[in-house]
Amino acid sequence: MEMEFQRGLRDKISNHMDISEPIEVVMQIAGDCKFNFCCFGVDSNEKITDLNYILFSGHKRSPNGEITYSCENNRAVFTIFPEKLPQSVYKVVFSLNIEGNGMMNGIDCFYVGIGNSGKEALSTDFTARDFRSEKALEVVSIYRKEEWRFSVPATGFNRGLEYLLKHYGGTMEMFDEIAEASQNEIENVPEIEEVPSVPTIDEADFEKEETP
């Protein structure tokens, strides 16, 4: 049964979901702005150290598929297998940011859901009244503390994604570096050699051997 939660909730994932199954973090927003979604892993010092675990529109899959990302019509779905993450990833932060001059107090509505694949166990809806002049939000975090837990801070940074990343030791330049590396991987995939076709032979082309 889906339960509505309040901003600031912290709890064990196992109290609401099956931790052995993939967890989905769903964010959907409406408004007259350009919205971007991303997530990034941080270490036990709460610093970004591995660019492989930053997912956004230019990089949609972690190295072994522990986290994947898809987005359509301002609806983002992050699928995460917490128990498959390397020990170096202590926490995964899921964020939303607004490009240009827009702010969160100008949105129409913002939905957040967490649950096993296709079955949100927890959800909530925000409106413009829940925000002020934020341009980037730390919406959800999934982290280790004896066992896997989650929190929904839904708190923001008035100066945008740059300052959210800075809080975790990151920079905006990381996105260009990751996108370039992803493009290089695509370009360097070896071409599959064309296998010569085997000519077909019509049965009529065979000459029957004469029996002596």
Side-chain angles (χ1 to χ4, degrees), residues 91-208:
K91 180 168 80 170
V92 180
V93 176
F94 301 86
S95 70
L96 162 75
N97 72 283
I98 301 177
E99 290 187 12
N101 297 322
M103 294 181 289
M104 287 299 295
N105 60 9
I107 66 167
D108 295 332
C109 57
F110 179 36
Y111 169 86
V112 180
I114 310 171
N116 290 123
S117 183
K119 300 177 182 178
E120 276 105 23
L122 302 161
S123 67
T124 194
D125 291 283
F126 296 104
T127 67
R129 292 176 297 177
D130 295 305
F131 303 102
R132 296 184 180 178
S133 55
E134 300 95 331
K135 295 180 66 64
L137 294 180
E138 178 178 338
V139 183
V140 173
S141 294
I142 291 178
Y143 60 98
R144 303 175 193 263
K145 188 177 180 182
E146 299 172 354
E147 63 178 275
W148 284 100
R149 302 169 184 256
F150 71 93
S151 66
V152 190
T155 55
F157 293 75
N158 294 349
R159 296 188 180 183
L161 181 60
E162 178 182 358
Y163 283 81
L164 171 56
L165 293 173
K166 186 177 180 181
H167 179 72
Y168 287 101
T171 66
M172 293 295 290
E173 286 71 26
M174 295 187 308
F175 290 101
D176 294 331
E177 185 178 343
I178 297 164
E180 183 178 349
S182 297
Q183 185 60 37
N184 288 339
E185 288 179 6
I186 295 172
E187 292 176 353
N188 292 330
V189 172
E191 294 183 4
I192 300 174
E193 293 185 9
E194 185 175 346
V195 178
S197 58
V198 178
T200 58
I201 302 175
D202 194 296
E203 290 182 0
D205 292 334
F206 280 107
E207 292 185 4
K208 293 183 180 180

Side-chain angles (χ1 to χ4, degrees), residues 42-47 90:
V42 301
D43 63 16
S44 57
N45 295 314
E46 303 231 334
K47 299 298 180 185
Y90 165 76

Side-chain angles (χ1 to χ4, degrees), residues 27-29 37 60 69-77:
M27 294 183 280
Q28 184 167 9
I29 192 164
F37 304 91
K60 296 184 177 181
Y69 164 66
S70 64
C71 184
E72 185 175 357
N73 298 325
N74 285 334
R75 184 179 187 272
V77 179

